[in-house]
Amino acid sequence: MNLLEQLRQMTVVVADTGDILAIEKFTPRDATTNPSLITAAAQMKEYQPIVDETLRKVKADLGSGATSREIVSLAVDRLAVAFGLKILQIIPGRVSTEVDARLSYDTAATVQKARDLIAQYEAGGVGRDRVLIKIASTWEGIRAAEILEKEGIHCNLTLLFGFHQAIACAEAGVTLISPFVGRILDWYKKKTGRAAYPGPEDPGVISVTKIYNYYKKFGYPTEVMGASFRNIGEIIELAGCDLLTISPALLQELQNTEGELQRKLDPAIAATLDIEKVAMDEATFRKMHAADEMASEKLDEGIKGFTKALETLEGLLTQRLARLEGAETLTHAAEELFHVYDLDGDGIITREEWLGTDAVFDALDANHDGKVTPEDMGAGLGVVLHLAKAN
């Protein structure tokens, strides 16, 4: 068996992508998305119908008085859910959908946003048991997750880099955490100037292993899902972890690689380890966070990164909405103009009926049959306006 097949025997494999075609190819149990992945997918030609349909529906729901900003703001959430619903048609498990990163330090706003997202999924016929709400692992985000979990809304705490974050999440009864293996490695490489780390020495691998063993030692049900991998060596060292969310490129590399895969993380072994339990409260959390330079920097960087991705997506949706509104305006104008010149109302404008210049008629009459149809008018309205100005 290849490494991917063997990994699936000991770890739940999750696809870290918003690309529906990639998910169909690798058939993971679960899938995760984030603002960066949704933004990337939204720019792919094959997913433009999802984007356009979402924008049109939001515009219709909000009514004619809605501003572009209001439409786009709601469309961002609707689009994340739209991709989630498509993904859930393919996978048997759960999809993770992220709360606006700009709410990371606002417990109440995070809770409300999560409830809104779940309501949209339920309106789409999907129960809350198949959705994980992704929230940044700030103290405020963890508190929001604690409230949501008690309501039956399951959470995936993301942007997790420090041991203190993991402990606080477990104490809050969070369903799942996503420690970022590769981003931890990135920080240490930059800090030390070291070009590479062997798998067992990889700081991200060491961090996830420590968290996994702590959870299993003390019987926390919170699942550990390693994320943000830079190479398959990191994945190999975390074989046996509850879940691993992996990009399509690394899934392909695992699928193409033969060899024996050994289980590295095991709850039975973790239970035998001598580990000290840490009491966690807000003061301890903030003290440990301030002392952890890597976790502090990477959490802040991650929130800013996801915020930038959201703003990029909002910009893309604003542009797309303008094009859609322009197309609708153009279509309406073409219909009105056609009726003005279709004097006998037979659905065709002949040269005799045309009251404009010959140059404009010739531009509209694409097949040169001496007749202009409504379709010709719609397609050529831009030419009409241009030549009309010229004349």
Side-chain angles (χ1 to χ4, degrees):
M1 292 190 293
N2 60 52
L3 294 186
L4 182 58
E5 291 170 328
Q6 294 176 71
L7 181 63
R8 282 187 165 130
Q9 293 183 341
M10 60 188 83
T11 291
V12 173
V13 173
V14 180
D16 193 19
T17 181
D19 184 350
I20 295 166
L21 296 178
I23 292 170
E24 288 178 333
K25 178 179 179 180
F26 292 106
T27 61
R29 192 196 77 175
D30 294 355
T32 56
T33 64
N34 63 42
S36 300
L37 297 175
I38 295 295
T39 300
Q43 296 178 76
M44 298 170 71
K45 184 178 180 181
E46 54 266 43
Y47 303 129
Q48 283 305 306
I50 298 177
V51 176
D52 292 351
E53 181 183 351
T54 299
L55 285 168
R56 289 192 181 101
K57 183 68 167 59
V58 170
K59 184 179 178 182
D61 289 347
L62 292 180
S64 58
T67 65
S68 294
R69 186 171 185 175
E70 290 169 335
I71 294 169
V72 167
S73 178
L74 180 55
V76 168
D77 288 344
R78 290 272 187 94
L79 189 61
V81 173
F83 273 98
L85 291 170
K86 292 285 185 183
I87 290 168
L88 288 171
Q89 292 174 9
I90 302 167
I91 63 172
R94 306 167 296 188
V95 68
S96 290
T97 297
E98 191 148 343
V99 165
D100 189 329
R102 292 167 291 198
L103 306 178
S104 295
Y105 294 100
D106 188 331
T107 298
T110 296
V111 168
Q112 188 55 54
K113 179 67 75 174
R115 289 170 178 161
D116 291 344
L117 289 170
I118 287 295
Q120 290 180 46
Y121 271 108
E122 290 179 336
V126 171
R128 57 186 61 189
D129 59 311
R130 297 198 66 200
V131 180
L132 291 172
I133 298 297
K134 287 181 76 175
I135 301 170
S137 299
T138 59
W139 178 258
E140 294 79 5
I142 295 168
R143 299 280 66 79
E146 184 175 35
I147 294 168
L148 292 165
E149 291 284 355
K150 290 175 181 177
E151 297 178 5
I153 297 175
H154 304 300
C155 300
N156 170 357
L157 271 288
T158 188
L159 295 177
L160 194 148
F161 303 98
F163 191 51
H164 58 289
Q165 293 173 290
I167 296 172
C169 287
E171 295 286 348
V174 166
T175 295
L176 180 147
I177 63 167
S178 296
F180 277 30
V181 181
R183 295 197 192 189
I184 294 174
L185 172 65
D186 295 342
W187 189 89
Y188 277 94
K189 286 170 68 175
K190 182 178 180 180
K191 186 73 172 178
T192 65
R194 191 169 168 179
Y197 286 80
E201 298 176 20
D202 186 303
V205 169
I206 293 170
S207 176
V208 175
T209 300
K210 181 179 180 180
I211 292 167
Y212 177 91
N213 287 335
Y214 187 88
Y215 279 15
K216 304 313 174 189
K217 172 70 175 182
F218 296 109
Y220 289 110
T222 300
E223 297 174 296
V224 180
M225 181 172 71
S228 177
F229 293 104
R230 297 294 179 256
N231 54 71
I232 65 170
E234 293 176 323
I235 297 168
I236 290 170
E237 290 302 321
L238 293 175
C241 193
D242 299 325
L243 306 93
L244 297 175
T245 183
I246 306 170
S247 69
L250 292 180
L251 287 171
Q252 186 66 62
E253 188 174 349
L254 288 167
Q255 192 172 70
N256 294 341
T257 305
E258 302 290 334
E260 183 180 355
L261 183 66
Q262 295 182 346
R263 182 168 192 144
K264 299 298 180 73
L265 301 185
D266 190 317
I269 295 175
T272 67
L273 300 176
D274 184 15
I275 302 173
E276 181 180 352
K277 192 166 187 179
V278 178
M280 185 60 61
D281 56 20
E282 182 175 359
T284 303
F285 180 94
R286 296 198 184 282
K287 181 179 179 181
M288 292 179 70
H289 192 69
D292 190 332
E293 183 183 1
M294 181 274 296
S296 297
E297 288 184 11
K298 298 305 288 185
L299 175 61
D300 182 62
E301 177 188 282
I303 290 172
K304 288 178 179 176
F306 282 161
T307 296
K308 184 177 180 180
L310 270 172
E311 291 170 348
T312 299
L313 179 57
E314 288 171 342
L316 289 170
L317 293 180
T318 300
Q319 293 173 12
R320 189 66 187 170
L321 177 64
R323 285 197 290 269
L324 289 174
E325 290 177 334
E328 290 170 2
T329 301
L330 197 64
T331 299
H332 182 65
E335 290 174 352
E336 289 188 340
L337 190 60
F338 184 86
H339 290 307
V340 168
Y341 287 99
D342 182 17
L343 300 180
D344 58 9
D346 64 351
I348 295 173
I349 301 173
T350 63
R351 189 177 292 275
E352 289 73 26
E353 291 176 296
W354 183 253
L355 301 177
T357 65
D358 287 341
V360 173
F361 187 90
D362 291 338
L364 292 172
D365 183 17
N367 59 0
H368 308 297
D369 63 354
K371 301 174 183 177
V372 173
T373 66
E375 291 75 21
D376 292 334
M377 182 67 79
L381 185 57
V383 178
V384 173
L385 296 175
H386 175 73
L387 292 176
K389 290 178 181 178
N391 285 279

